[in-house]
Amino acid sequence: MATHTTFRDNFLRVVAVLGLIAILLLGAWGIIQLAFYLPTFFGNLGHAKEALTVSVPAQSVSDKAITLSWKHTGKDGEYSYSASYACAAGLQFAAPVPTGAYQLVPCNTPFNFVSASTSMPVIPVLAVGTRQATTTLTVAATKLSDGTVSVKGTANTTVMASTTAVSTSGTATTGTTYTPGQTTTKPATTTTKPATTNKPASTYVASGHTTNLYGYADLAVQILSAPQGVRAGSRVSLQFVVTNVGTNVAPAGWAFTAALPYNPVYVYPSGGQQMLYPGDKIVYTLTYDAVGTGGDYYSYSQNDYGQAQVNVQVDTNNFVPELNEYNNTASVSYQVY
């Protein structure tokens, strides 16, 4: 009997020890799993879902500036922002450029000539005879580390003719009045394509740097030469250069646009361009007919005199993951007489 009892006690002790070992191993495994997932869990708690909230007056008045603003939450890293507006009959928007003037921008065309990060003034302009128009403004956030649009936000506004009273109820606010120059003729509602070359003349200059690539590409545009003064109706020759100042390849397919001073502004689309290694550059020569703007963004004198401005923007389709988005725009002004 004593032998049987001792055997049973020893068996129970072995089972107990094995059970304890199993519990310890299970506990250790659980601690390892918890340590692995805990940072991710708390990281998700600490980072709100990425969102872009866009604000604009619900109602606005033609020819008066309104503020387009946005708030980007849950972001991670550095971003650039572009705005655009949906096409609506008889409606255009003017956006600020680095010189402090305003430039008409075609619908469904991304713009941010001043590299605004939270807000920018824009001016709705109704064509003659148009009493009101409603459109949607969109702001897109592009992540600079990979060049992708990570989030978009939208807001609607109804633009009234300046003789129509505007309610300030709800989210509507009173815009700042924009005072144009002496001539106040509004732009035509149809776009006349200027007589330009089908494709700008271009010269490719290779750097020979095709190895030891790392990091990101960085396309930069610079205007090399432009006239200081031209006679209205004469041909203008504008020369600018696009250089990859980054440390990696800019793949083929990137594009640029040139906003030419016509009534309204004509945006020349380049189409896809060739691959650029670090240090590679392309010198472009674009020719077109000279037209003056009469001193402000939509006034044209009878003889087309005044200032004219050209804006060139590279990688308008955000095709290239770039190190820096702030050198993608260049502009120049000249006198038309």
Side-chain angles (χ1 to χ4, degrees):
M1 178 65 73
T3 302
H4 178 72
T5 302
T6 301
F7 176 79
R8 186 182 64 181
D9 291 343
N10 290 337
F11 177 76
L12 291 176
R13 289 191 185 97
V14 171
V15 172
V17 170
L18 292 176
L20 180 60
I21 292 174
I23 292 173
L24 291 175
L25 291 175
L26 183 62
W29 179 83
I31 292 173
I32 293 173
Q33 294 299 312
L34 183 62
F36 182 77
Y37 288 106
L38 199 60
T40 303
F41 175 75
F42 283 106
N44 290 336
L45 288 180
H47 293 283
K49 183 179 179 181
E50 186 176 11
L52 190 66
T53 304
V54 179
S55 299
V56 72
Q59 293 183 342
S60 52
V61 179
S62 178
D63 305 328
K64 292 185 179 180
I66 59 175
T67 299
L68 172 65
S69 60
W70 57 91
K71 184 177 181 181
H72 191 177
T73 57
K75 59 183 179 179
D76 179 22
E78 298 295 326
Y79 293 78
S80 65
Y81 301 91
S82 62
S84 61
Y85 65 96
C87 296
L91 175 65
Q92 289 184 296
F93 276 84
V97 294
T99 61
Y102 282 79
Q103 171 184 298
L104 284 170
V105 181
C107 61
N108 292 328
T109 301
F111 62 88
N112 188 353
F113 303 119
V114 293
S115 299
S117 58
T118 57
S119 66
M120 74 170 79
V122 292
I123 303 175
V125 181
L126 288 177
V128 175
T130 303
R131 296 185 59 84
Q132 73 176 58
T134 299
T135 189
T136 299
L137 291 100
T138 301
V139 177
T142 299
K143 195 169 185 178
L144 297 185
S145 61
D146 58 15
T148 60
V149 175
S150 62
V151 66
K152 293 182 179 181
T154 61
N156 297 330
T157 187
T158 298
V159 183
M160 306 287 190
S162 57
T163 56
T164 305
V166 176
S167 170
T168 57
S169 60
T171 59
T173 57
T174 302
T176 303
T177 302
Y178 175 78
T179 305
Q182 296 298 317
T183 306
T184 57
T185 303
K186 291 186 179 179
T189 57
T190 58
T191 301
T192 300
K193 183 176 180 179
T196 65
T197 56
N198 292 330
K199 182 179 181 180
S202 62
T203 302
Y204 170 69
V205 181
S207 68
H209 182 185
T210 60
T211 59
N212 300 322
L213 306 174
Y214 66 94
Y216 298 97
D218 186 4
L219 296 178
V221 60
Q222 179 184 6
I223 293 178
L224 299 179
S225 64
Q228 294 184 346
V230 294
R231 187 171 298 278
S234 63
R235 297 288 281 175
V236 174
S237 180
L238 176 75
Q239 192 173 69
F240 59 94
V241 59
V242 177
T243 307
N244 180 4
V245 297
T247 57
N248 214 329
V249 177
W254 59 273
F256 70 85
T257 59
L260 304 179
Y262 285 86
N263 186 12
V265 170
Y266 172 72
V267 177
Y268 174 87
S270 72
Q273 301 296 293
Q274 72 183 71
M275 174 191 300
L276 293 181
Y277 283 95
D280 288 4
K281 60 183 178 182
I282 304 178
V283 179
Y284 296 93
T285 303
L286 181 64
T287 57
Y288 56 95
D289 294 332
V291 175
T293 60
D296 64 83
Y297 77 94
Y298 63 68
S299 0
Y300 281 69
S301 63
Q302 188 172 7
N303 296 313
D304 289 331
Y305 297 164
Q307 284 289 112
Q309 184 178 67
V310 179
N311 286 277
V312 180
Q313 185 173 4
V314 69
D315 196 29
T316 50
N317 51 3
N318 290 315
F319 182 79
V320 180
E322 291 190 75
L323 182 66
N324 177 20
E325 296 278 352
Y326 296 104
N327 54 6
N328 285 10
T329 302
S331 62
V332 66
S333 297
Y334 53 87
Q335 187 72 23
V336 178
Y337 56 92

